[in-house]
Amino acid sequence: TVFPIIISPVDSVTVRLTFTPQSGNLNDTVHFASNANTGTSTISIPLTGEIIPPAMLELVLSPARSGEQSAIVTCYAVLQGQPPAAMTGLSFDITYNNDLLGLLNANGVAVHRGKPNEIETDTFKWNPGSGISGEADTIGTLTFMVYLTDSITTPLDLSNISFSSDKILPLDCIASIVGTGTAFSFQNSCGDSIIRYAMEDKLPFVIERVAPNPASDRITISLSKTSAVSYDLFDALGHSVLTGSDIPTSLNISALPSASYYLRLSQNGYVQTRKVSIER
């Protein structure tokens, strides 16, 4: 393609040429031809260009996408691919629900920041070549301790990505986010059943009263809800001396010797225990 440029005598002009390769590398030559009466009439300038693939930023969880109470989990922000030399800095945000994950401080102690079920956002900044823990592709880390919560999952989202560059390059030439993030799940089956059910507002029953206590012949059990439960009465050595599965409003203990016992009521993994004394 020919572009005519008119230059006045004893003047100069700046020519700026930009081009975008569509795939792979682009090699071409630009020829400047002059009708001047002196000097070189033709100048050829070879040009070489290549596509700058964007670096891909994603979140990687370790050791897994779910964890039990008190488990330690680390979230890595990983930059895949070689960032272009033009990128001199990168910053981004990671958002998470602190009701499920407690951020660890430098001493490894869990820090519960803010209020329960509150969304937290941490900003990370990165300079090319800095790396984290000797890994050049890991540019940000968050370490959490999982604790008992009324949430069962929390999203970990990358957002607000920005960069600095020593050249004018469009954003998609620098870095892009792989997906919108990831989710972390809490395996709450390992938590204390009473606390877990209470936080979920799903207590199947509560032992309100065991009377008389001490008792001699019979005890009466009052529950917050009429519910069929499994019951066991254990002696001090852990031996079951009385067991059954119904609505235990009253238990006959007349055949048992005087001692301390433990009454355990359970339903689908939910357990409550009360100490019972037999005296005669």
Side-chain angles (χ1 to χ4, degrees):
T1 303
V2 177
F3 296 93
I5 302 173
I6 300 176
I7 307 176
S8 301
V10 199
D11 202 353
S12 63
V13 64
T14 300
V15 177
R16 179 177 180 180
L17 178 66
T18 61
F19 59 95
T20 303
Q22 299 301 310
S23 63
N25 297 333
L26 175 64
N27 297 284
D28 211 332
T29 303
V30 177
H31 305 278
F32 291 90
S34 170
N35 60 1
N37 295 325
T38 60
T40 303
S41 60
T42 302
I43 297 176
S44 297
I45 302 177
L47 298 176
T48 300
E50 63 179 311
I51 287 181
I52 303 175
M56 309 300 288
L57 191 63
E58 71 170 338
L59 290 177
V60 178
L61 281 167
S62 177
R65 294 182 180 273
S66 62
E68 298 180 349
Q69 184 178 1
S70 299
I72 304 298
V73 60
T74 301
C75 177
Y76 300 97
V78 178
L79 191 66
Q80 295 184 349
Q82 183 66 34
M87 180 163 64
T88 57
L90 173 68
S91 67
F92 56 93
D93 294 340
I94 296 181
T95 303
Y96 60 96
N97 186 336
N98 74 356
D99 191 40
L100 179 62
L101 302 172
L103 187 66
L104 296 183
N105 62 20
N107 297 321
V109 178
V111 180
H112 183 68
R113 302 183 304 169
K115 300 177 181 179
N117 205 34
E118 188 171 86
I119 301 300
E120 296 282 356
T121 299
D122 288 287
T123 300
F124 290 82
K125 298 184 183 297
W126 174 79
N127 295 318
S130 60
I132 299 292
S133 301
E135 301 177 16
D137 58 347
T138 301
I139 61 177
T141 59
L142 280 176
T143 303
F144 301 97
M145 176 176 286
V146 183
Y147 57 87
L148 194 62
T149 174
D150 56 359
S151 300
I152 58 173
T153 63
T154 183
L156 300 166
D157 289 322
L158 281 168
S159 62
N160 197 29
I161 189 171
S162 62
F163 70 95
S164 55
S165 170
D166 59 6
K167 296 181 181 179
I168 301 175
L169 293 174
L171 179 61
D172 55 4
C173 286
I174 298 293
S176 60
I177 297 175
V178 179
T180 57
T182 186
F184 183 82
S185 300
F186 173 54
Q187 300 173 355
N188 61 4
S189 61
C190 66
D192 181 272
S193 60
I194 297 178
I195 300 176
R196 185 174 75 251
Y197 277 105
M199 297 187 100
E200 295 176 355
D201 196 24
K202 296 177 181 178
L203 285 175
F205 66 88
V206 174
I207 300 177
E208 294 182 333
R209 189 166 180 255
V210 176
N213 195 6
S216 58
D217 298 318
R218 184 173 293 275
I219 57 173
T220 300
I221 304 169
S222 299
L223 302 180
S224 61
K225 299 177 183 178
T226 302
S227 180
V229 300
S230 297
Y231 63 88
D232 289 278
L233 190 65
F234 296 94
D235 61 19
L237 298 177
H239 301 137
S240 177
V241 295
L242 193 63
T243 186
S245 180
D246 53 25
I247 302 175
T249 56
S250 179
L251 295 181
N252 186 350
I253 58 172
S254 59
L256 299 176
S258 298
S260 294
Y261 297 84
Y262 296 90
L263 176 66
R264 185 180 71 178
L265 304 184
S266 62
Q267 184 185 90
N268 298 325
Y270 170 75
V271 177
Q272 282 206 352
T273 303
R274 293 291 184 272
K275 185 177 181 179
V276 176
S277 296
I278 298 178
E279 296 181 3
R280 296 188 182 89

